Amino acid sequence: MHNYANSCKLTIWVPNFINSHAISGLASLVLLNLNRCGICDEGCEKLEGLVKLKVLNLGFNHITDACLVHLRELINLECLNLDSCKIGDEGLLHLKGLLQLRSLELSDTAVGSNGLRHLSGLRNLHSMNLSFTVITDIGLKKIAGMNSLRSLNLDNRQITDNGLAALTTLTGLTHLDLFGARITDAGTNCLRCFKGLRSLELCGGLITDAGVKNIKDLKDLTLLNLSQNGNLTDKTLEIISGLTALVSLNLSSSRVSNAGLHHLRPLQNLRSLSLDSCKVTACEIKKLQLAALPNLVSVRPE
């Protein structure tokens, strides 16, 4: 998300005891934070006049699709946060004209596969969070043409290998979160298409050492989270030992052991290592840190 802290003519943060009626007359706003303010649909018509807005945070409020009608004229919006709002597919229709949008947060909403068709024309969208929605594999086909996407969060148990396969056209992705998705070793073949990935989270529990082989050539990775995959062994540490750009690595709740720790020695840029609930001891990790990984500042278990 663009940092507007030094570029806004006027910004405002509205505390939770002020309702949406209080924003009338602030036509010069470019940033408006109404996060957790208890706002409902009533009064949202006041948003229509804020045509200079570039950043709007409506997260964790009680608004529904009826509120989104009043956002249609905010054509300068670049960042919109609707996290945990009571919106669904029909509301997304009112966003299709916001062609300047670069970041869209839809986590923990009732948005489903049908609604994504309204977003397919947002050609400037760089970041989209669809975690904890009701989107399925079918829906992902509707965003397969959004080549501007760089960051995509699909932490969702309804997403499988088929959904990931539908996204292989998004070759510009740099951040992909599949934390809870049901991706198997077969599905990891799709990851080869995302050669520029810098951040990958794949924690659905279905990956084995064989699947990790499809990650070993993603040389730009700085963050890799493969936690909760209980079948990963020390072989995984050997496979990823060539990912020397890694800064953060999480293999918690796997079968990694002390015997495999030496494979991490080439990862000289590593600053964070999480191996909770593995067959490793804090003592052995400390030895590795002292002998080969001096940049480590965050280690679990400690």
Side-chain angles (χ1 to χ4, degrees):
M1 183 180 293
H2 182 80
N3 183 359
Y4 290 95
N6 297 318
S7 61
C8 297
K9 290 183 178 180
L10 176 61
T11 64
I12 188 170
W13 177 82
V14 183
N16 57 14
F17 55 83
I18 297 180
N19 62 34
S20 57
H21 295 281
I23 64 177
S24 178
L26 300 176
S28 60
L29 280 177
V30 294
L31 185 155
L32 181 59
N33 184 356
L34 293 169
N35 188 65
R36 299 179 188 271
C37 287
I39 294 172
C40 299
D41 292 335
E42 182 183 1
C44 284
E45 67 275 5
K46 301 294 194 302
L47 293 170
E48 293 180 3
L50 306 182
V51 294
K52 294 185 179 181
L53 271 184
K54 292 187 176 182
V55 179
L56 177 59
N57 186 346
L58 292 171
F60 295 89
N61 283 301
H62 308 297
I63 60 172
T64 71
D65 292 342
C67 172
L68 302 189
V69 175
H70 305 296
L71 306 185
R72 290 183 298 184
E73 303 303 318
L74 305 185
I75 58 174
N76 291 306
L77 265 188
E78 296 183 13
C79 303
L80 177 61
N81 187 341
L82 297 169
D83 190 353
S84 302
C85 293
K86 302 178 184 301
I87 63 170
D89 289 346
E90 294 308 312
L92 297 189
L93 171 64
H94 307 300
L95 305 183
K96 64 185 301 183
L98 305 183
L99 300 181
Q100 299 304 312
L101 270 185
R102 295 171 59 87
S103 175
L104 180 58
E105 170 69 65
L106 295 171
S107 179
D108 203 16
T109 63
V111 168
S113 296
N114 288 333
L116 290 185
R117 72 185 189 275
H118 300 308
L119 305 179
S120 61
L122 301 181
R123 299 300 181 183
N124 288 308
L125 201 63
H126 283 193
S127 175
M128 182 158 57
N129 189 340
L130 299 173
S131 61
F132 304 108
T133 60
V134 293
I135 289 166
T136 65
D137 292 339
I138 293 175
L140 296 186
K141 296 179 180 179
K142 298 172 184 177
I143 63 172
M146 300 178 70
N147 295 318
S148 60
L149 279 174
R150 297 295 177 263
S151 177
L152 184 59
N153 189 327
L154 294 171
D155 184 358
N156 185 335
R157 290 299 289 175
Q158 298 171 109
I159 302 302
T160 71
D161 294 346
N162 291 331
L164 183 56
L167 298 177
T168 53
T169 53
L170 304 182
T171 56
L173 283 178
T174 57
H175 303 278
L176 181 58
D177 188 337
L178 294 161
F179 190 98
R182 292 183 288 123
I183 307 300
T184 69
D185 288 344
T188 62
N189 281 298
C190 300
L191 298 174
R192 295 174 179 267
C193 297
F194 310 123
K195 298 185 184 302
L197 274 185
R198 297 199 295 269
S199 172
L200 175 63
E201 302 199 47
L202 197 62
C203 310
L206 304 177
I207 305 299
T208 72
D209 297 333
V212 177
K213 292 179 180 179
N214 291 316
I215 297 173
K216 68 181 179 63
D217 293 324
L218 301 178
K219 300 298 187 180
D220 291 337
L221 279 178
T222 59
L223 183 151
L224 178 59
N225 186 354
L226 297 175
S227 62
Q228 318 308 316
N229 289 294
N231 290 316
L232 297 183
T233 71
D234 291 339
K235 183 65 176 177
T236 282
L237 297 185
E238 180 182 357
I239 294 170
I240 65 173
S241 63
L243 299 178
T244 55
L246 280 178
V247 174
S248 176
L249 176 62
N250 190 340
L251 282 162
S252 298
S253 299
S254 68
R255 292 163 57 193
V256 167
S257 72
N258 284 335
L261 291 181
H262 69 278
H263 292 302
L264 298 179
R265 286 174 173 264
L267 305 185
Q268 294 293 300
N269 291 307
L270 206 60
R271 295 178 59 83
S272 175
L273 176 62
S274 297
L275 295 171
D276 285 317
S277 301
C278 295
K279 298 177 181 179
V280 298
T281 61
C283 178
E284 290 301 311
I285 294 179
K286 187 65 175 178
K287 289 180 182 179
L288 174 69
Q289 181 181 17
L290 293 174
L293 301 178
N295 291 316
L296 269 181
V297 294
S298 176
V299 179
R300 296 181 63 89
E302 296 179 327

